[in-house]
Amino acid sequence: MKYNSKKRKFLKLQNQIRIKILKAFKPNLVKQDVDIAKEGQSGPDIILSRRAKKLCPYQYEIKSQNRMTTVYKWFNQASKKTKLNPVVVMKANGRDPLVVLDVDHFFDLIK
């Protein structure tokens, strides 16, 4: 995949998350409270104002890659034959466990 195509996919996802944060905490946050990092900028991919950090105390690292197909397979497995929200708990040797949730469900939980 070409660099420009990868960058567009990343920016699209970054903006989607920015919009979801603003919607989840509407009317307490305005556009200026949630920004996206510029290309090459170190730190989080979503930049939160002081007010936004109080309401939404998370630091976002945005990834848009095909290398995560195994995680999606696990998520689909957790989704089968249930009306419950799927959750994947995964752990690598020597690492702390991580939890994977659907992004919309995550924002419903943190509202």
Side-chain angles (χ1 to χ4, degrees), residues 15-69:
N15 277 307
Q16 287 173 343
I17 298 304
R18 178 182 180 265
I19 290 166
K20 287 181 183 296
I21 293 168
L22 288 168
K23 284 183 179 179
F25 295 98
K26 189 177 183 177
N28 297 315
L29 295 180
V30 295
K31 288 182 180 182
Q32 294 80 4
D33 288 316
V34 184
D35 200 4
I36 59 174
K38 309 301 180 243
E39 185 176 1
Q41 184 176 346
S42 63
D45 293 325
I46 302 290
I47 301 167
L48 302 174
S49 70
R50 190 173 291 159
R51 179 188 334 183
K53 288 177 184 176
K54 287 181 182 177
L55 292 170
C56 182
Y58 299 99
Q59 182 160 303
Y60 295 89
E61 181 67 27
I62 309 297
K63 299 294 181 197
S64 180
Q65 301 176 355
N66 278 333
R67 296 188 311 190
M68 298 179 280
T69 55

